[in-house]
Amino acid sequence: MANSSIDALRGGCPEPFFNELMFPSEGGNVDGRLCAPLGLLSCCVPCPMTDWAYPDDFNTATGAANWVNVVGMICCAFLLISWIVLPVEKTHRHYLSISLTCATVLMNLGFIIPLAAKPDQCFNAITPNGMDTSSVCAASGAFLLAGGWAGIMWVFLRALSLHLQICWQLVVGRNYMWFSQVLGWGIPIIGLIILLVFSGVSFRFGATCHINHENSLADFWIPLLVFAGLTVIIQFATFGYCIKVYLASLTDNSASTEGSGMPSYSNSIRTMTPRQAYRRIRRVIQLQWRGIVIVLIIIADVIFFAVIFVFLDNTVESIKIDPSKALPWAACLIASQGDKNKCLGLAKELVVSLPTVTAVLVLLAMNGIWLLLLLGRWSMVTGWIDLFASFTGTRTKKEFVSVDARMDIKQDPRSYEMLSRDSGKADTVLTPISATQSPTTRGGRQTPDYFGQTARYQPHQRSFSSPRPPQQHHWDTMPGQGESYPLPTMPSARPYEYEHMNPLGMNRIEKEEEINYAGPRSQYTQPGAADFSRDHVFI
């Protein structure tokens, strides 16, 4: 009974093909049929077409790729929940990272929904289901295409943000955030509406619905590849600028004036030396290298998927236009009475190879895993541990310890040394200097030489002064002037004797005239008493 009904549907077409006239012209994606004239009949390949063009392990490979999407979904869910629950110092969340993860979640849902629902891919024996006849197809196709659009837009915005920071030295703030939100979600929503209205989705390539061929280049693939190309151009322009600055810094012999207290004009990129620009770029890349790698990975995956799917779509359409391309394969199926394994060698020329298809699906599924590896941090794990410990009451109380108490005085030159009263040694008190590192002793206690190194003077680019050596003035007389005007002679010092004077006491010096012309002491003057009849000088 079943065989007779199948033979009736064949309508005279050789096995395994069916007569198109035996099926209604409405229902499902009628344009997705692969039919070719055979004499007076129009014979069609049974649905799904992949069961006849690929080996039996095709469904196994696509199913494995869908399970990889489940793993990627778990990774994205861990990131999103961590960003929501944990504090920012544990996660270092950023709106560009959050939005890109949400876009990856949408893309993963496009593969996970068919894995859970296990929908019927065919409306009838020759017609695949479309979004009008299968709600699972509509949901999976919408999530997949929206996730692809959003992923491209957010990697584009991330690359643009990095380019503005490095090449143009602009600070992306709140205005850029709102601009990114409008562009990153507005364009995917508008693009999804346009492609669902003018193209639609259907089961064309496995259990996940993809965009139909009609108008697909104009409303999806070309705009998607335009933004992907802009992202690649911006990213490589940023790389080129970084390489240019790095090469310029290698030939820059001028010392940096950073931190010298002179005006640096840091807001002007023209006044920066190549070495200063290289240091600034290096700091930005050290903070953004994870985002750079994510941009490159997602761009490579989306471009790879777009090229492969467009090639497969064009191959199927070319067979519809010129059925003679598939004539050897169709003749082989007829001769083998529907044994596809005998004709797989001829089918390889009509479809993309199974390893390539598997690679595309797995790479798309691994985007969530890459996000966790590159955007996740170990501090998230410790943050969850602390959070659960606070709920269970097993969190250990940390004892407050001063920073000075943990400092090793013997090894840290910035520490203070206390004066010892018992040692009897004149210990030196070392005080930290804000702009100079404390010198280390070379053995014993020596006076630190803070001025031993001579700093090289680097003139500012807007300064017109330069250091000059001190001028040596010569006060020598002109030749012959010494003979005409001799210098006066200096009087010789008096032959006073000061050897036996007490420097801390009162000393009497008698005047020279008094010594030479003074008379004898009075006989009434007592020995040792002062003689006021003479003038004395006390020093």
Side-chain angles (χ1 to χ4, degrees), residues 46-56 58-59 121-122 340 344:
C47 178
M49 186 191 66
T50 54
D51 288 350
W52 298 90
Y54 288 99
D56 294 334
F58 175 82
N59 293 328
Q121 300 182 25
C122 300
K340 68 172 184 178
L344 292 177

Side-chain angles (χ1 to χ4, degrees), residues 156-232:
F156 166 76
L157 293 171
R158 196 178 190 101
L160 180 61
S161 172
L162 186 66
H163 180 78
L164 293 176
Q165 293 180 61
I166 292 180
C167 299
W168 301 98
Q169 204 179 1
L170 296 178
V171 178
V172 288
R174 185 173 298 273
N175 293 332
Y176 187 82
M177 183 191 70
W178 291 116
F179 168 77
S180 300
Q181 296 296 332
V182 172
L183 199 67
W185 297 114
I187 291 183
I189 292 174
I190 296 174
L192 180 63
I193 294 174
I194 291 176
L195 67 89
L196 290 178
V197 171
F198 293 98
S199 295
V201 293
S202 63
F203 288 103
R204 306 185 61 201
F205 193 69
T208 301
C209 279
H210 298 274
I211 187 171
N212 295 325
H213 174 74
E214 184 182 5
N215 301 321
S216 61
L217 289 177
D219 56 32
F220 183 70
W221 295 114
I222 291 179
L224 190 75
L225 293 177
V226 165
F227 279 100
L230 290 176
T231 305
V232 172

Side-chain angles (χ1 to χ4, degrees), residues 66 70 112 143 224 226 274 279 301 343 360 380 513 525 539:
N66 291 341
V70 174
I112 295 175
F143 278 120
L224 190 75
V226 165
R279 290 176 180 174
D301 291 347
C343 305
V360 170
M380 292 182 178
E513 294 80 0
T525 303
I539 60 173

Side-chain angles (χ1 to χ4, degrees), residues 29-48:
N29 183 26
V30 178
D31 295 334
R33 298 174 179 176
L34 183 59
C35 303
L38 182 63
L40 298 178
L41 302 177
S42 178
C43 299
C44 303
V45 178
C47 178

Side-chain angles (χ1 to χ4, degrees), residues 155-420:
V155 296
F156 166 76
L157 293 171
R158 196 178 190 101
L160 180 61
S161 172
L162 186 66
H163 180 78
L164 293 176
Q165 293 180 61
I166 292 180
C167 299
W168 301 98
Q169 204 179 1
L170 296 178
V171 178
V172 288
R174 185 173 298 273
N175 293 332
Y176 187 82
M177 183 191 70
W178 291 116
F179 168 77
S180 300
Q181 296 296 332
V182 172
L183 199 67
W185 297 114
I187 291 183
I189 292 174
I190 296 174
L192 180 63
I193 294 174
I194 291 176
L195 67 89
L196 290 178
V197 171
F198 293 98
S199 295
V201 293
S202 63
F203 288 103
R204 306 185 61 201
F205 193 69
T208 301
C209 279
H210 298 274
I211 187 171
N212 295 325
H213 174 74
E214 184 182 5
N215 301 321
S216 61
L217 289 177
D219 56 32
F220 183 70
W221 295 114
I222 291 179
L224 190 75
L225 293 177
V226 165
F227 279 100
L230 290 176
T231 305
V232 172
I233 293 174
I234 292 174
Q235 195 72 39
F236 281 97
T238 306
F239 286 160
Y241 178 78
C242 294
I243 294 173
K244 174 179 175 294
V245 172
Y246 174 71
L247 295 178
S249 66
L250 295 179
T251 59
D252 181 25
N253 296 324
S254 60
S256 174
T257 58
E258 186 176 1
S260 61
M262 300 182 63
S264 59
Y265 300 95
S266 59
N267 293 331
S268 177
I269 197 171
R270 296 182 180 179
T271 61
M272 298 181 65
T273 64
R275 185 167 298 179
Q276 290 174 334
Y278 170 69
R279 290 176 180 174
R280 179 181 59 83
I281 292 174
R282 185 178 61 182
R283 287 194 296 267
V284 175
I285 293 179
Q286 287 176 350
L287 296 174
Q288 300 288 340
W289 69 270
R290 296 179 179 89
I292 296 174
V293 176
I294 283 294
V295 167
L296 295 178
I297 290 176
I298 295 182
I299 282 293
D301 291 347
V302 172
I303 292 179
F304 189 29
F305 174 77
V307 171
I308 295 302
F309 190 84
V310 169
F311 175 77
L312 179 63
D313 190 25
N314 291 334
T315 301
V316 174
E317 292 300 321
S318 65
I319 294 175
K320 292 182 180 180
I321 297 174
D322 187 9
S324 61
K325 294 181 179 181
L327 186 58
W329 174 64
C332 178
L333 288 177
I334 295 173
S336 62
Q337 296 181 354
D339 189 358
K340 68 172 184 178
N341 294 323
K342 297 180 179 179
C343 305
L344 292 177
L346 298 174
K348 290 181 180 179
E349 300 178 358
L350 305 177
V351 295
V352 181
S353 63
L354 180 60
T356 304
V357 172
T358 306
V360 170
L361 297 178
V362 170
L363 288 176
L364 285 177
M366 289 186 64
N367 287 333
I369 301 175
W370 289 120
L371 285 175
L372 178 62
L373 294 178
L374 294 174
L375 298 182
R377 299 174 182 269
W378 182 251
S379 58
M380 292 182 178
V381 178
T382 59
W384 281 110
I385 294 175
D386 295 340
L387 183 63
F388 288 132
S390 63
F391 289 153
T392 58
T394 59
R395 185 175 182 179
T396 59
K397 296 182 179 180
K398 297 182 179 180
E399 182 182 0
F400 174 77
V401 179
S402 176
V403 177
D404 296 335
R406 293 196 301 257
M407 187 177 295
D408 190 357
I409 300 179
K410 295 182 179 179
Q411 296 182 0
D412 193 356
R414 296 175 299 176
S415 60
Y416 291 87
E417 293 182 6
M418 300 298 294
L419 289 176
S420 177

